mmCIF file of all heavy atoms in Angstrom:
data_model
loop_
_atom_site.group_PDB
_atom_site.id
_atom_site.type_symbol
_atom_site.label_atom_id
_atom_site.label_comp_id
_atom_site.label_asym_id
_atom_site.label_seq_id
_atom_site.Cartn_x
_atom_site.Cartn_y
_atom_site.Cartn_z
ATOM 1 N N ALA A 257 -1.422 -6.192 -2.116
ATOM 2 C CA ALA A 257 -1.444 -4.731 -2.196
ATOM 3 C C ALA A 257 -2.229 -4.267 -3.414
ATOM 4 O O ALA A 257 -3.028 -3.328 -3.335
ATOM 5 C CB ALA A 257 -0.017 -4.195 -2.236
ATOM 6 N N ASN A 258 -2.018 -4.919 -4.555
ATOM 7 C CA ASN A 258 -2.782 -4.558 -5.749
ATOM 8 C C ASN A 258 -4.276 -4.700 -5.506
ATOM 9 O O ASN A 258 -5.079 -3.853 -5.920
ATOM 10 C CB ASN A 258 -2.377 -5.449 -6.921
ATOM 11 C CG ASN A 258 -0.973 -5.171 -7.420
ATOM 12 O OD1 ASN A 258 -0.432 -4.092 -7.227
ATOM 13 N ND2 ASN A 258 -0.380 -6.149 -8.070
ATOM 14 N N THR A 259 -4.659 -5.780 -4.834
ATOM 15 C CA THR A 259 -6.084 -6.027 -4.589
ATOM 16 C C THR A 259 -6.689 -4.973 -3.682
ATOM 17 O O THR A 259 -7.766 -4.426 -3.975
ATOM 18 C CB THR A 259 -6.282 -7.430 -3.985
ATOM 19 O OG1 THR A 259 -5.866 -8.413 -4.948
ATOM 20 C CG2 THR A 259 -7.740 -7.681 -3.634
ATOM 21 N N VAL A 260 -6.014 -4.636 -2.578
ATOM 22 C CA VAL A 260 -6.621 -3.672 -1.658
ATOM 23 C C VAL A 260 -6.584 -2.259 -2.224
ATOM 24 O O VAL A 260 -7.489 -1.455 -1.954
ATOM 25 C CB VAL A 260 -5.990 -3.733 -0.247
ATOM 26 C CG1 VAL A 260 -6.214 -5.105 0.381
ATOM 27 C CG2 VAL A 260 -4.524 -3.376 -0.254
ATOM 28 N N VAL A 261 -5.559 -1.928 -3.025
ATOM 29 C CA VAL A 261 -5.544 -0.614 -3.678
ATOM 30 C C VAL A 261 -6.710 -0.500 -4.657
ATOM 31 O O VAL A 261 -7.390 0.532 -4.727
ATOM 32 C CB VAL A 261 -4.192 -0.376 -4.391
ATOM 33 C CG1 VAL A 261 -4.281 0.814 -5.335
ATOM 34 C CG2 VAL A 261 -3.085 -0.150 -3.368
ATOM 35 N N ALA A 262 -6.956 -1.570 -5.413
ATOM 36 C CA ALA A 262 -8.098 -1.562 -6.332
ATOM 37 C C ALA A 262 -9.418 -1.437 -5.572
ATOM 38 O O ALA A 262 -10.313 -0.679 -5.977
ATOM 39 C CB ALA A 262 -8.092 -2.823 -7.187
ATOM 40 N N LEU A 263 -9.546 -2.146 -4.466
ATOM 41 C CA LEU A 263 -10.769 -2.053 -3.660
ATOM 42 C C LEU A 263 -10.948 -0.656 -3.086
ATOM 43 O O LEU A 263 -12.061 -0.127 -3.048
ATOM 44 C CB LEU A 263 -10.736 -3.084 -2.531
ATOM 45 C CG LEU A 263 -11.160 -4.496 -2.937
ATOM 46 C CD1 LEU A 263 -10.675 -5.518 -1.931
ATOM 47 C CD2 LEU A 263 -12.676 -4.575 -3.081
ATOM 48 N N SER A 264 -9.850 -0.052 -2.656
ATOM 49 C CA SER A 264 -9.932 1.317 -2.163
ATOM 50 C C SER A 264 -10.408 2.254 -3.266
ATOM 51 O O SER A 264 -11.226 3.149 -3.030
ATOM 52 C CB SER A 264 -8.560 1.753 -1.646
ATOM 53 O OG SER A 264 -8.588 3.102 -1.247
ATOM 54 N N GLY A 265 -9.909 2.025 -4.494
ATOM 55 C CA GLY A 265 -10.355 2.830 -5.621
ATOM 56 C C GLY A 265 -11.830 2.656 -5.939
ATOM 57 O O GLY A 265 -12.451 3.533 -6.528
ATOM 58 N N MET A 266 -12.383 1.512 -5.541
ATOM 59 C CA MET A 266 -13.817 1.274 -5.721
ATOM 60 C C MET A 266 -14.640 1.863 -4.580
ATOM 61 O O MET A 266 -15.872 1.794 -4.605
ATOM 62 C CB MET A 266 -14.087 -0.228 -5.807
ATOM 63 C CG MET A 266 -13.467 -0.914 -7.002
ATOM 64 S SD MET A 266 -13.759 -2.713 -6.930
ATOM 65 C CE MET A 266 -12.552 -3.296 -8.124
ATOM 66 N N GLY A 267 -13.980 2.420 -3.569
ATOM 67 C CA GLY A 267 -14.698 3.071 -2.478
ATOM 68 C C GLY A 267 -14.795 2.280 -1.200
ATOM 69 O O GLY A 267 -15.519 2.682 -0.278
ATOM 70 N N PHE A 268 -14.044 1.175 -1.083
ATOM 71 C CA PHE A 268 -14.094 0.361 0.128
ATOM 72 C C PHE A 268 -12.965 0.739 1.082
ATOM 73 O O PHE A 268 -11.897 1.195 0.658
ATOM 74 C CB PHE A 268 -14.006 -1.130 -0.225
ATOM 75 C CG PHE A 268 -15.176 -1.623 -1.022
ATOM 76 C CD1 PHE A 268 -15.111 -1.681 -2.409
ATOM 77 C CD2 PHE A 268 -16.366 -1.992 -0.399
ATOM 78 C CE1 PHE A 268 -16.194 -2.124 -3.160
ATOM 79 C CE2 PHE A 268 -17.452 -2.429 -1.136
ATOM 80 C CZ PHE A 268 -17.366 -2.500 -2.520
ATOM 81 N N ARG A 269 -13.170 0.525 2.361
ATOM 82 C CA ARG A 269 -12.176 0.828 3.389
ATOM 83 C C ARG A 269 -11.204 -0.347 3.504
ATOM 84 O O ARG A 269 -11.621 -1.469 3.810
ATOM 85 C CB ARG A 269 -12.849 1.094 4.735
ATOM 86 C CG ARG A 269 -13.791 2.308 4.712
ATOM 87 C CD ARG A 269 -14.387 2.581 6.085
ATOM 88 N NE ARG A 269 -15.128 1.433 6.594
ATOM 89 C CZ ARG A 269 -16.371 1.119 6.256
ATOM 90 N NH1 ARG A 269 -17.035 1.880 5.383
ATOM 91 N NH2 ARG A 269 -16.963 0.069 6.771
ATOM 92 N N ALA A 270 -9.932 -0.077 3.280
ATOM 93 C CA ALA A 270 -8.943 -1.146 3.228
ATOM 94 C C ALA A 270 -7.711 -0.793 4.050
ATOM 95 O O ALA A 270 -7.388 0.378 4.258
ATOM 96 C CB ALA A 270 -8.539 -1.423 1.776
ATOM 97 N N GLY A 271 -7.035 -1.839 4.527
ATOM 98 C CA GLY A 271 -5.790 -1.669 5.264
ATOM 99 C C GLY A 271 -4.796 -2.739 4.868
ATOM 100 O O GLY A 271 -5.078 -3.591 4.011
ATOM 101 N N TYR A 272 -3.635 -2.733 5.529
ATOM 102 C CA TYR A 272 -2.582 -3.661 5.122
ATOM 103 C C TYR A 272 -1.700 -4.067 6.288
ATOM 104 O O TYR A 272 -1.434 -3.276 7.189
ATOM 105 C CB TYR A 272 -1.697 -3.034 4.034
ATOM 106 C CG TYR A 272 -1.090 -4.075 3.126
ATOM 107 C CD1 TYR A 272 -1.810 -4.560 2.039
ATOM 108 C CD2 TYR A 272 0.159 -4.614 3.380
ATOM 109 C CE1 TYR A 272 -1.288 -5.547 1.229
ATOM 110 C CE2 TYR A 272 0.700 -5.595 2.574
ATOM 111 C CZ TYR A 272 -0.027 -6.069 1.497
ATOM 112 O OH TYR A 272 0.482 -7.052 0.703
ATOM 113 N N VAL A 273 -1.240 -5.330 6.203
ATOM 114 C CA VAL A 273 -0.238 -5.867 7.113
ATOM 115 C C VAL A 273 0.950 -6.289 6.262
ATOM 116 O O VAL A 273 0.800 -7.126 5.362
ATOM 117 C CB VAL A 273 -0.782 -7.079 7.891
ATOM 118 C CG1 VAL A 273 0.323 -7.707 8.732
ATOM 119 C CG2 VAL A 273 -1.960 -6.675 8.768
ATOM 120 N N GLY A 274 2.118 -5.716 6.501
ATOM 121 C CA GLY A 274 3.272 -6.064 5.685
ATOM 122 C C GLY A 274 4.508 -5.323 6.135
ATOM 123 O O GLY A 274 4.534 -4.698 7.201
ATOM 124 N N LYS A 275 5.559 -5.355 5.306
ATOM 125 C CA LYS A 275 6.849 -4.786 5.687
ATOM 126 C C LYS A 275 7.550 -4.221 4.454
ATOM 127 O O LYS A 275 7.558 -4.854 3.392
ATOM 128 C CB LYS A 275 7.714 -5.869 6.335
ATOM 129 C CG LYS A 275 8.770 -5.354 7.290
ATOM 130 C CD LYS A 275 9.310 -6.504 8.137
ATOM 131 C CE LYS A 275 10.189 -5.993 9.260
ATOM 132 N NZ LYS A 275 10.676 -7.103 10.128
ATOM 133 N N ILE A 276 8.115 -3.025 4.618
ATOM 134 C CA ILE A 276 8.891 -2.392 3.555
ATOM 135 C C ILE A 276 10.237 -1.948 4.112
ATOM 136 O O ILE A 276 10.456 -1.958 5.329
ATOM 137 C CB ILE A 276 8.150 -1.184 2.939
ATOM 138 C CG1 ILE A 276 7.835 -0.143 4.020
ATOM 139 C CG2 ILE A 276 6.905 -1.632 2.213
ATOM 140 C CD1 ILE A 276 7.178 1.117 3.498
ATOM 141 N N GLY A 277 11.129 -1.549 3.244
ATOM 142 C CA GLY A 277 12.442 -1.118 3.675
ATOM 143 C C GLY A 277 12.490 0.352 4.034
ATOM 144 O O GLY A 277 11.632 1.142 3.647
ATOM 145 N N SER A 278 13.539 0.721 4.769
ATOM 146 C CA SER A 278 13.792 2.129 5.075
ATOM 147 C C SER A 278 14.721 2.692 4.003
ATOM 148 O O SER A 278 15.839 3.137 4.277
ATOM 149 C CB SER A 278 14.419 2.251 6.468
ATOM 150 O OG SER A 278 13.556 1.735 7.457
ATOM 151 N N ASP A 279 14.251 2.646 2.777
ATOM 152 C CA ASP A 279 15.048 3.063 1.628
ATOM 153 C C ASP A 279 14.147 3.816 0.662
ATOM 154 O O ASP A 279 12.950 3.986 0.910
ATOM 155 C CB ASP A 279 15.720 1.857 0.951
ATOM 156 C CG ASP A 279 14.755 0.711 0.647
ATOM 157 O OD1 ASP A 279 13.524 0.960 0.624
ATOM 158 O OD2 ASP A 279 15.211 -0.423 0.437
ATOM 159 N N SER A 280 14.710 4.284 -0.441
ATOM 160 C CA SER A 280 13.910 5.051 -1.402
ATOM 161 C C SER A 280 12.813 4.190 -2.018
ATOM 162 O O SER A 280 11.712 4.679 -2.308
ATOM 163 C CB SER A 280 14.812 5.645 -2.491
ATOM 164 O OG SER A 280 15.501 4.615 -3.192
ATOM 165 N N GLU A 281 13.122 2.910 -2.234
ATOM 166 C CA GLU A 281 12.095 1.990 -2.753
ATOM 167 C C GLU A 281 10.939 1.873 -1.776
ATOM 168 O O GLU A 281 9.762 1.839 -2.163
ATOM 169 C CB GLU A 281 12.708 0.629 -3.042
ATOM 170 C CG GLU A 281 13.690 0.595 -4.196
ATOM 171 C CD GLU A 281 15.097 0.992 -3.814
ATOM 172 O OE1 GLU A 281 15.329 1.327 -2.630
ATOM 173 O OE2 GLU A 281 15.981 0.967 -4.693
ATOM 174 N N GLY A 282 11.273 1.807 -0.484
ATOM 175 C CA GLY A 282 10.232 1.733 0.534
ATOM 176 C C GLY A 282 9.359 2.970 0.557
ATOM 177 O O GLY A 282 8.143 2.883 0.745
ATOM 178 N N GLU A 283 9.985 4.151 0.366
ATOM 179 C CA GLU A 283 9.205 5.387 0.319
ATOM 180 C C GLU A 283 8.254 5.385 -0.868
ATOM 181 O O GLU A 283 7.106 5.838 -0.767
ATOM 182 C CB GLU A 283 10.136 6.597 0.243
ATOM 183 C CG GLU A 283 10.759 6.967 1.576
ATOM 184 C CD GLU A 283 9.714 7.212 2.651
ATOM 185 O OE1 GLU A 283 8.790 8.013 2.405
ATOM 186 O OE2 GLU A 283 9.809 6.587 3.720
ATOM 187 N N PHE A 284 8.707 4.859 -1.993
ATOM 188 C CA PHE A 284 7.851 4.786 -3.182
ATOM 189 C C PHE A 284 6.665 3.857 -2.905
ATOM 190 O O PHE A 284 5.511 4.196 -3.222
ATOM 191 C CB PHE A 284 8.655 4.273 -4.376
ATOM 192 C CG PHE A 284 7.908 4.325 -5.682
ATOM 193 C CD1 PHE A 284 8.075 5.394 -6.546
ATOM 194 C CD2 PHE A 284 7.029 3.311 -6.033
ATOM 195 C CE1 PHE A 284 7.373 5.451 -7.745
ATOM 196 C CE2 PHE A 284 6.326 3.357 -7.227
ATOM 197 C CZ PHE A 284 6.489 4.436 -8.090
ATOM 198 N N ILE A 285 6.939 2.693 -2.319
ATOM 199 C CA ILE A 285 5.863 1.748 -1.996
ATOM 200 C C ILE A 285 4.885 2.384 -1.011
ATOM 201 O O ILE A 285 3.662 2.272 -1.171
ATOM 202 C CB ILE A 285 6.452 0.445 -1.428
ATOM 203 C CG1 ILE A 285 7.340 -0.255 -2.459
ATOM 204 C CG2 ILE A 285 5.330 -0.507 -0.988
ATOM 205 C CD1 ILE A 285 8.195 -1.369 -1.887
ATOM 206 N N TRP A 286 5.412 3.047 0.016
ATOM 207 C CA TRP A 286 4.585 3.692 1.034
ATOM 208 C C TRP A 286 3.617 4.697 0.395
ATOM 209 O O TRP A 286 2.419 4.697 0.677
ATOM 210 C CB TRP A 286 5.487 4.373 2.051
ATOM 211 C CG TRP A 286 4.785 5.142 3.127
ATOM 212 C CD1 TRP A 286 4.554 6.481 3.155
ATOM 213 C CD2 TRP A 286 4.223 4.619 4.342
ATOM 214 N NE1 TRP A 286 3.888 6.843 4.302
ATOM 215 C CE2 TRP A 286 3.680 5.725 5.049
ATOM 216 C CE3 TRP A 286 4.141 3.350 4.892
ATOM 217 C CZ2 TRP A 286 3.058 5.571 6.287
ATOM 218 C CZ3 TRP A 286 3.530 3.204 6.126
ATOM 219 C CH2 TRP A 286 2.986 4.292 6.814
ATOM 220 N N LYS A 287 4.134 5.526 -0.474
ATOM 221 C CA LYS A 287 3.284 6.536 -1.117
ATOM 222 C C LYS A 287 2.246 5.899 -2.039
ATOM 223 O O LYS A 287 1.151 6.437 -2.207
ATOM 224 C CB LYS A 287 4.151 7.526 -1.893
ATOM 225 C CG LYS A 287 4.996 8.412 -0.996
ATOM 226 C CD LYS A 287 5.915 9.314 -1.800
ATOM 227 C CE LYS A 287 6.792 10.170 -0.893
ATOM 228 N NZ LYS A 287 7.744 11.018 -1.656
#
């Protein structure tokens, strides 16, 4: 996630495959 967020900040098109919780922590990660 850190890598693709950094790449997105550099202007590249990025996506993700993964899993988060249905909790407040998950909402923070999602945002």
Side-chain angles (χ1 to χ4, degrees):
N258 291 337
T259 296
V260 298
V261 167
L263 278 161
S264 176
M266 296 176 196
F268 295 95
R269 298 183 302 279
Y272 208 85
V273 174
K275 205 165 190 178
I276 58 177
S278 299
D279 50 19
S280 60
E281 292 84 359
E283 282 304 308
F284 187 96
I285 298 167
W286 177 262
K287 291 176 182 177

